[in-house]
Amino acid sequence: MAQSSSVKQIEADAPAGRLKGGLGPIGIAMMVVATAAPLTVMVGVSPLIIGSGNGVAAPLDALAVGVVMLLFSIGFVAMSRYINNAGAFYAYILKGMGTMMGLGAASLAVLSYTLILIALEAYIGVVLQNTIEDFLHVHAAWWLYALAIVLLVGILGYRNVEVSAKVLGIALILEIGVIVLLDLTILTKGGEAGLPITPFYVSEMLSGSPGLGVLFSIFGFIGFESTVVYREEASRPERSIPLATYIAVGFISLLYFVSFYCEIAGVGADTVKETASSHMDTLYLDLVTTYLGQILHDVAQILLVTSLFAVVISIHNIVARYKYVLGGCGVLSEHLAKVHADHASPYVASVVQTAVSFIVLCAAVLFGFDPVTQIYALGAAAGTLGYMVIVALASFAIILFFARNKSSAGAWKTIIAPGLAFIGLSAFLFVALSNLPALTGSDGNMVNTLIVVVLCVAFMLGAGGGLIMKLKAPVRFGAIRLQLE
């Protein structure tokens, strides 16, 4: 009885503010698709899938990843009705695998997303530097642009999420417009040698390095959990969250499947692998020039900046909401759970994340790190690897949760689909670890080993902190789970 009373006291002392917003399924889906950054994937990732992966089978790679993510989303949506805050995968793992595993996953998620965020902030600094030099002939250091982006994103994150959603929506519509226009032009006029069918051969799927092809395709689905992250800010979340999830996964899968095919057809199926290998940086923009002209090439180059900006905003919001939830649960400082009186945003968590990005980027500049080959390549690779671990754990947690809690959803949604997703995600993770040098661009065992060690330490710090809390502050430890009930 004493413990129950103490738990109630903790809940009473917790911040009363809640995030607010009127996001519908389309707005939430836009957040997910913006995090996937379609134009960034087409310009920066598709040449890697084609050139370093399994060549013309790139559309099948996207389809394979899309099917696994769709299977995952079935269990994800079925369990979303039991997730009552913005905790996302952390909340799923906590409810399915226990509080300590959930805290370990939360710690790993915060680190993984932060690494991806800082990597992208450095990369957008370089892209902005090149774009402004090309169009305005003004030269400035990449890190000045990167730090300016950090501050601008911090301002948007401080305000209500609907402000970010509007910014993301405009940028997203424009970049998807260019991609779809190029796709339609190639499909109607025909590619370099017509419209080939070789990309759909199973033999092509197994050629080259199919593991790397699938692996790079996963990059296009990062931020998948955004649907549940915005639960508190959604209108009618019981309807909006499932619908937004299916819209986002279906749209991303279809867009990449069609666009990868059109890219291959546009260049020519017989030569696209060699062309992608020798023109990694310019393959897609050159294709835009060939089929749509120089003006739309310039437009696409500018929209690449907005695409990166959109994904930076989205990931910043995800990390801020993770910290908001962890603050509300008493895992991190309760100040992180403060909600702005006017904007109804997790403003303290957002400011803290802005400060972290600013400090880390400044330190990287002082140490002379290269923004692309070091900050971006290593940060994105390490963050993506951690993300894959979290998604795989979440799929397993869904199975465990429904094994203990009977549901009317049926075996397909609660066991079979999540089980198939777990198998697929585990296979992807195995491929990632087996091909870590290709992901990081570093053959040095020390660098690749350090990445794995850092991710493991992040997980153990969260889980270990939970164990210490359980031993020394059992009431507070018990209150963490109650926050999700």
Side-chain angles (χ1 to χ4, degrees), residues 135-166:
F135 288 101
L136 302 178
H137 308 291
V138 174
H139 177 75
W142 68 269
W143 53 268
L144 288 175
Y145 294 114
L147 294 178
I149 289 295
V150 169
L151 295 177
L152 180 56
V153 169
I155 292 171
L156 290 172
Y158 186 90
R159 295 175 60 81
N160 186 280
V161 69
E162 292 181 52
V163 176
S164 294
K166 290 174 182 176

Side-chain angles (χ1 to χ4, degrees), residues 248-334:
V249 175
F251 180 79
I252 291 171
S253 302
L254 181 62
L255 182 67
Y256 292 151
F257 176 74
V258 173
S259 300
F260 288 172
Y261 173 77
C262 291
E263 185 175 11
I264 291 164
V267 177
D270 294 336
T271 60
V272 68
K273 187 173 178 66
E274 293 73 19
T275 305
S277 299
S278 58
H279 297 82
M280 286 279 183
D281 296 338
T282 62
L283 178 69
Y284 193 76
L285 291 178
D286 287 346
L287 198 64
V288 173
T289 304
T290 300
Y291 287 89
L292 301 179
Q294 184 62 42
I295 293 178
L296 279 176
H297 169 279
D298 294 342
V299 171
Q301 189 173 349
I302 295 171
L303 289 176
L304 177 59
V305 176
T306 65
S307 175
L308 284 165
F309 184 60
V311 69
V312 167
I313 293 175
S314 190
I315 294 179
H316 173 93
N317 284 338
I318 291 174
V319 180
R321 279 152 184 77
Y322 255 105
K323 292 180 177 179
Y324 160 79
V325 171
L326 293 175
C329 290
V331 177
L332 298 178
S333 170
E334 65 178 12

Side-chain angles (χ1 to χ4, degrees), residues 387-412:
Y387 171 80
M388 292 173 65
V389 172
I390 296 163
V391 181
L393 285 175
S395 64
F396 190 57
I398 291 169
I399 299 170
L400 295 179
F401 175 81
F402 283 116
R404 293 194 303 268
N405 300 273
K406 299 303 179 183
S407 171
S408 59
W412 169 247

Side-chain angles (χ1 to χ4, degrees), residues 17-86:
R18 299 282 287 182
L19 301 182
K20 296 178 182 178
L23 288 174
I26 300 300
I28 298 171
M30 276 187 172
M31 290 288 195
V32 179
V33 179
T35 307
L39 189 58
T40 299
V41 171
M42 294 309 302
V43 174
V45 179
S46 67
L48 289 171
I49 299 173
I50 297 169
S52 302
N54 44 357
V56 299
L60 294 183
D61 294 335
L63 187 62
V65 175
V67 168
V68 171
M69 289 301 184
L70 184 59
L71 287 170
F72 174 82
S73 68
I74 292 171
F76 182 76
V77 165
M79 190 172 166
S80 68
R81 59 184 296 189
Y82 302 97
I83 305 298
N84 298 318
N85 66 7

Side-chain angles (χ1 to χ4, degrees), residues 35-37 41 45 48 65 214-223 256 376 380-381 384-385 388 439:
T35 307
V41 171
V45 179
L48 289 171
V65 175
V214 171
L215 192 58
F216 287 127
S217 295
I218 294 173
F219 292 177
F221 289 83
I222 286 179
Y256 292 151
Y376 175 71
T384 301
L385 190 62
M388 292 173 65
L439 270 180

